[in-house]
Amino acid sequence: MRVDLFDFELPEERIALRPAEPRDAARLLIVDPSGDGFQDLIVRDLVDQLGPDDVMVFNDTKVIPAQLEGRRIRGENIAPVSATLHMRVSPSSWKAFARPGKRIKQGDRIEFGHSGDTCLNGSLGAVVSEKGEAGEVTLSFDLSGPALDEAIATVGHIPLPPYIASKRHEDAQDRKDYQTIYAREEGAVAAPTAGLHFTPELFDALDKKGVGRAFVTLHVGAGTFLPVKADDTAEHKMHHEIGHIDQTTADRLNAARAAGGRIVAVGTTSLRLLESAAKDDGSIAAWSGATDIFITPGYRFKIVDRLMTNFHLPRSTLFMLVSAFSGLETMRAAYAHAIDSGYRFYSYGDASLLTRKD
């Protein structure tokens, strides 16, 4: 499909720079392709949209401080460099997007962190062991395993999305705001942002309603922020992300569907993992590995019935995904309504609850 079909104009003032307070006070747009118009609610009204047979599926990945600043050392030639880690490939190495990417070569030595109060007397060393396309490199660090994790946590910064980072610096509040309350499995470099809206009080209300809750893990990569530069969706390459669904969760979701319940994915990351693991008959199995699933209109969804998600960038793979889920014309109309009605967009913005188009 032509990528320009997924374009729209978004005023700068619609981009949220901070989350709603409290989290469940964010607005919630109800989108049902078979219904008339849209409903404007708030997130804590979510409990009224779900039933006791429904199961919500959350991504419990935990954001790590994966934004690293340092200097490239090539003999006596020293230059500043930054890297955003996006996928671990071994106990001591990560794939990363580096800037300035064109000036970095295989074999370069990079020292990250020079504040004077970080590990290794202020630095974490790595060598560029491989260079890929579009600024992607593989960094082989001097440390490995838990020691490397601790060093990254000390040296790194929360990797705010570019549309926020370009307008303000990351601060201490982001360490709390850019993390779901149920985050558990470390490894993401971007938050599963639909989950940012949930509070203990909202979980309590959903529990009282009898709505089920299940957790899967997909470590969100920085590739989620990469623009689609191709003119046709067939020419776009998705980056891999690592995920896991255990057998107990798979069994629970299969039982819920057999009983007539709906599977409600919280966030596009949960949906992408569920659809990666689902079989053609609508069942799901335990699953572990890397997925680069790219969902565009025409995709036949196997397991997810409803999707809670934030509002996404124009021409992005995520806007393509929601257009596949509820229909392109429906989503273009929903986004026009959201813009006209003052909804806040992107990671710290408001949410929508979508029903799958039959």
Side-chain angles (χ1 to χ4, degrees):
M1 296 185 70
R2 296 199 330 265
V3 171
D4 60 8
L5 292 172
F6 303 94
D7 202 3
F8 57 88
E9 292 294 327
L10 181 71
E12 282 285 316
E13 61 270 20
R14 291 289 178 264
I15 301 174
L17 300 184
R18 297 284 184 183
E21 183 60 41
R23 296 185 182 208
D24 58 8
R27 299 178 71 184
L28 179 69
L29 179 64
I30 307 300
V31 180
D32 185 346
S34 64
D36 296 325
F38 308 105
Q39 284 184 271
D40 298 302
L41 305 176
I42 59 175
V43 170
R44 66 173 63 104
D45 295 327
L46 180 65
V47 66
D48 298 324
Q49 300 296 314
L50 303 172
D53 294 327
D54 296 333
V55 177
M56 304 189 77
V57 183
F58 297 83
N59 182 4
D60 65 2
T61 189
K62 189 173 185 178
V63 179
I64 63 172
Q67 182 65 43
L68 305 178
E69 306 294 334
R71 58 186 186 178
R72 183 212 67 204
I73 302 172
R74 191 184 299 156
E76 295 186 359
N77 186 349
I78 299 175
V81 64
S82 65
T84 304
L85 308 179
H86 76 86
M87 189 172 75
R88 193 171 203 149
V89 292
S90 79
S92 61
S93 60
W94 279 80
K95 287 190 179 295
F97 294 112
R99 297 189 306 272
K102 293 183 179 180
R103 298 181 183 177
I104 295 176
K105 297 180 180 180
Q106 185 173 344
D108 279 347
R109 176 78 180 174
I110 302 178
E111 296 288 338
F112 294 109
H114 291 274
S115 65
D117 58 356
T118 54
C119 65
L120 300 181
N121 295 319
S123 67
L124 168 64
V127 172
V128 179
S129 57
E130 185 179 338
K131 184 174 181 181
E133 300 177 351
E136 186 180 46
V137 298
T138 300
L139 298 173
S140 295
F141 289 92
D142 297 342
L143 299 177
S144 181
L148 175 57
D149 298 342
E150 182 178 352
I152 291 172
T154 304
V155 173
H157 300 273
I158 292 295
L160 287 180
Y163 40 78
I164 296 176
S166 64
K167 295 179 172 58
R168 68 169 180 83
H169 294 295
E170 169 251 359
D171 57 30
Q173 186 61 33
D174 289 307
R175 291 245 174 176
K176 176 182 178 183
D177 289 343
Y178 202 57
Q179 200 81 265
T180 64
I181 63 170
Y182 49 83
R184 181 176 58 189
E185 302 292 338
E186 291 190 346
V189 303
T193 53
L196 296 179
H197 299 293
F198 287 83
T199 62
E201 292 77 15
L202 180 54
F203 271 171
D204 287 344
L206 290 166
D207 289 344
K208 291 177 181 176
K209 185 73 175 285
V211 178
R213 186 156 67 240
F215 295 94
V216 297
T217 304
L218 183 73
H219 294 313
V220 192
T224 189
F225 301 128
L226 292 180
V228 178
K229 295 182 179 180
D231 293 326
D232 192 281
T233 58
E235 300 169 358
H236 178 69
K237 178 184 177 182
M238 292 285 284
H239 282 78
H240 287 86
E241 294 169 314
I242 302 297
H244 173 74
I245 299 175
D246 62 32
Q247 188 62 56
T248 300
T249 299
D251 291 343
R252 183 179 184 190
L253 297 179
N254 289 331
R257 284 181 63 83
R262 295 174 297 184
I263 304 302
V264 183
V266 178
T268 56
T269 60
S270 297
L271 181 145
R272 292 178 65 242
L273 182 56
L274 289 170
E275 291 293 323
S276 296
K279 300 177 182 179
D280 289 339
D281 63 2
S283 65
I284 191 167
W287 192 91
S288 184
T291 178
D292 62 350
I293 188 172
F294 183 21
I295 296 176
T296 58
Y299 176 86
R300 183 173 181 177
F301 290 87
K302 304 178 183 71
I303 187 169
V304 178
D305 301 298
R306 302 187 81 181
L307 169 64
M308 181 177 174
T309 184
N310 285 18
F311 293 93
H312 305 294
L313 283 73
R315 301 175 69 98
S316 66
T317 60
L318 299 183
F319 185 60
M320 295 172 190
L321 184 154
V322 297
S323 297
F325 193 76
S326 294
L328 176 57
E329 293 307 314
T330 296
M331 293 313 301
R332 290 185 65 88
Y335 272 49
H337 172 85
I339 292 169
D340 291 344
S341 303
Y343 278 75
R344 303 161 72 245
F345 274 59
Y346 304 164
S347 295
Y348 279 155
D350 296 316
S352 61
L353 180 64
L354 315 179
T355 297
R356 189 183 68 206
K357 182 179 180 180
D358 290 332

